[in-house]
Amino acid sequence: MRVRFAPSPTGKLHVGGARAALYNWLLARGSGGQFLLRIEDTDRERSTPENVEQILDALRWLGLDWDGEIDFQTQHEERHRAVVQQLLDEDKAYRSNATADDVKAYKAEHGADKGFRGFDHPTRSTDDTGAVRLRVPEGETVVRDLVRGDTTFRNVHMDDPVIARGDGSPLYNLAVAIDDHDAGITHVVRGEDHLSNTPKQLLVYAALGAEAPLFAHLPLLHGPDGKKLSKRHGAASVQELRAAGYLPDAVINYLALLGWGDEDDETEIPREELVKRFDIERVSKNPARFDEQKLRWLNGRYLRGQGVDALTATIKAHLEETGHGHMVAGRDDLLRIAVEISQEKISTVDDFWPLAGFLFTGPVDDVKAQEKWLDAPHLEHLAAVRDTLAGVEPFSVEAVDGALRALVGERGAKAKDVFQPLRVALAGTAISPGVFESAAALGRDETLRRVDAALGR
Ligand code: GLU
């Protein structure tokens, strides 16, 4: 099996493109086949080195390694031109000056469902200037698709497709078919948006007398609202998922299960297992729903599954990337504890700093929370909390927990009226890791300093 991913480098790698790349990769790795990468860079304005690098960077981050050298479509232009010439020489293609209006007039005369035939038509060009059209033979063109089944197109309805411009430069459907053929591609797995190109590409195979590959057209991705996936559904590209703090393994897991038959898309399946179990024929024909909330949930499981040490390293690297590295530098012990007490409450590495950054920087400035929990009645509780904490021995999570629960009983207060003021004194806000854990992480001195500041002492 030889498959390929053939992106046009127009910018970031979209989630839909990443899924196409992944399915190709899974097929190749699961069958001992080859996964090739062809950059379709014929749009020279958009195919900048930066855009190519964005695609490669996204594939590397996802761990989708390709076999052999990267292929660039523009390098094959001479070959494409030679094929066009060969088809012209064999009368399988011809030069044509037919305009859209000519094609319309042809249909008015022959019937709207009749494909345009220009070989024996006055618009056929006698010199070397017209666009090159491929002659559609009689018969049928069958797209054999592993997801959608066979679809038969009657050739009589297809216009003779333009395969090269007047200057001989090849058009997309010609280039793709030749490149796939030359590379020995056995399965073309790509988005459903290419479905209408496929019969044209098959006509090129037929004209070359070459065996066509099998196809798998993947259904489009929708957002949870059933509309085509776009930016308003959240992160729409691999780069954005990365910046949002997702782990590549979680993204791979989630994308693999999107629209994969009846598999629940929240199941944790490691990469090696996905490779073993992936079956393109089980991919559903229906649009798949990309739901970032499910990805978040799955990502949280992957985060915790790393174990505290690995997660600490992952988070440290992310903090360095996002400009917070200096805040945690030299404080590895506190960072490890902070990660340990935060891990149940975070779903992405990006969630860590807003939740636990106060341990390093001091209380944040959440005026609303402070007005609510540090008003006069709550400050009375906080003063009692201070006295209790000053005497807790040792200053551990368990001891702090026990002493403060006893204090709640003594004061006949509600637990939250005692604990929340402490939380807000330590964090500046009402959302944080566990309050006893946070106090223990800060240690007695720093805890009392922050409580004193809240008490105005
Ligand atoms: N270059 C095309 C794209 O980026 C894909 C072509 C193909 O997979 O056949 O949409």
Side-chain angles (χ1 to χ4, degrees):
M1 178 178 289
R2 278 168 83 81
V3 294
R4 88 305 194 266
F5 180 51
S8 304
T10 52
K12 294 179 173 138
L13 180 59
H14 278 251
V15 172
R19 187 176 63 140
L22 171 62
Y23 283 20
N24 278 292
W25 183 86
L26 288 170
L27 275 174
R29 296 294 172 258
S31 67
Q34 301 277 304
F35 172 60
L36 308 182
L37 179 60
R38 180 174 71 237
I39 302 290
E40 304 210 313
D41 55 347
T42 47
D43 178 344
R44 299 201 185 216
E45 263 170 46
R46 299 216 281 169
S47 303
T48 58
E50 295 75 42
N51 282 346
V52 172
E53 193 43 51
Q54 296 229 45
I55 305 273
L56 302 183
D57 176 57
L59 292 175
R60 287 191 196 108
W61 181 73
L62 289 169
L64 301 180
D65 55 331
W66 55 88
D67 297 308
E69 299 285 309
I70 303 173
D71 195 18
F72 289 89
Q73 189 154 56
T74 46
Q75 289 172 356
H76 304 298
E77 188 174 338
E78 244 174 73
R79 160 82 173 138
H80 301 152
R81 284 176 182 265
V83 170
V84 170
Q85 194 52 53
Q86 177 198 329
L87 293 172
L88 284 169
D89 293 345
E90 293 172 348
D91 271 352
K92 289 181 175 165
Y94 60 93
R95 295 265 184 185
S96 169
N97 291 318
T99 61
D101 281 344
D102 293 327
V103 173
K104 235 192 227 161
Y106 181 96
K107 290 183 192 260
E109 191 185 335
H110 292 85
D113 64 341
K114 290 287 187 301
F116 175 72
R117 298 285 174 268
F119 189 73
D120 297 313
H121 192 263
T123 52
R124 179 156 173 212
S125 112
T126 46
D127 55 24
D128 277 350
T129 58
V132 180
R133 284 185 184 261
L134 187 68
R135 294 174 75 184
V136 175
E138 288 183 5
E140 292 175 342
T141 297
V142 182
V143 180
R144 294 183 56 209
D145 191 303
L146 296 171
V147 172
R148 310 169 60 90
D150 290 356
T151 311
T152 302
F153 295 85
R154 292 183 57 206
N155 292 0
V156 65
H157 301 312
M158 293 198 262
D159 293 337
D160 285 352
V162 178
I163 56 172
R165 298 184 191 87
D167 64 3
S169 58
L171 288 191
Y172 174 71
N173 284 315
L174 176 89
V176 170
I178 295 176
D179 291 351
D180 283 342
H181 171 64
D182 289 353
I185 298 301
T186 58
H187 296 71
V188 171
V189 179
R190 61 185 171 195
E192 199 177 83
D193 44 330
H194 285 281
L195 202 52
S196 63
N197 289 325
T198 307
K200 295 177 200 159
Q201 293 171 15
L202 286 175
L203 289 172
V204 175
Y205 278 92
L208 296 174
E211 197 189 328
L214 293 174
F215 291 85
H217 287 97
L218 307 176
L220 296 178
L221 287 187
H222 286 179
D225 58 359
K227 304 224 170 81
K228 200 175 167 230
L229 188 68
S230 70
K231 263 202 104 62
R232 78 197 137 78
H233 295 109
S237 70
V238 172
Q239 275 80 4
E240 286 162 323
L241 292 176
R242 178 180 190 174
Y246 292 103
L247 299 175
D249 280 340
V251 173
I252 289 287
N253 187 156
Y254 184 65
L255 288 181
L257 296 187
L258 264 190
W260 177 354
D262 45 25
E263 199 75 57
D264 180 351
D265 57 9
E266 285 171 307
T267 318
E268 216 178 317
I269 307 181
R271 200 181 281 252
E272 318 77 68
E273 194 64 22
L274 289 169
V275 166
K276 276 191 217 141
R277 283 168 54 182
F278 184 73
D279 178 359
I280 191 84
E281 298 193 35
R282 282 181 57 199
V283 171
S284 161
K285 276 193 272 201
N286 303 319
R289 276 173 198 246
F290 180 85
D291 184 341
E292 202 175 330
Q293 290 314 317
K294 289 188 178 178
L295 173 58
R296 275 184 69 79
W297 182 86
L298 195 58
N299 200 70
R301 305 219 11 182
Y302 270 88
L303 280 182
R304 290 183 279 285
Q306 293 190 339
V308 178
D309 289 327
L311 181 54
T312 303
T314 303
I315 284 180
K316 192 171 180 193
H318 186 71
L319 291 174
E320 278 158 8
E321 262 176 48
T322 51
H324 295 105
H326 63 286
M327 306 272 202
V328 299
R331 302 170 83 181
D332 284 351
D333 290 347
L334 179 58
L335 184 60
R336 189 183 187 286
I337 294 170
V339 169
E340 191 171 13
I341 67 178
S342 302
Q343 55 175 344
E344 286 300 330
K345 291 192 173 185
I346 61 175
S347 300
T348 71
V349 289
D350 222 30
D351 291 346
F352 173 76
W353 192 253
L355 184 73
F358 75 92
L359 294 169
F360 302 85
T361 61
V364 301
D365 216 7
D366 180 349
V367 178
K368 269 215 175 117
Q370 292 165 13
E371 277 171 0
K372 176 164 183 198
W373 295 110
L374 298 177
D375 59 356
H378 287 110
L379 285 180
E380 264 180 47
H381 290 310
L382 187 60
V385 166
R386 192 212 184 275
D387 293 342
T388 302
L389 292 179
V392 173
E393 207 54 66
F395 201 75
S396 65
V397 177
E398 297 70 30
V400 168
D401 183 329
L404 291 183
R405 283 187 202 283
L407 180 67
V408 167
E410 272 165 38
R411 296 181 68 80
K414 282 193 195 143
K416 70 171 181 211
D417 286 327
V418 175
F419 299 156
Q420 283 299 76
L422 174 60
R423 188 193 299 275
V424 175
L426 299 181
T429 184
I431 297 165
S432 75
V435 64
F436 314 129
E437 287 81 355
S438 298
L442 289 170
R444 190 194 318 264
D445 291 350
E446 179 62 15
T447 296
L448 294 183
R449 227 186 326 271
R450 293 188 188 192
V451 170
D452 285 343
L455 290 168
R457 292 182 186 166

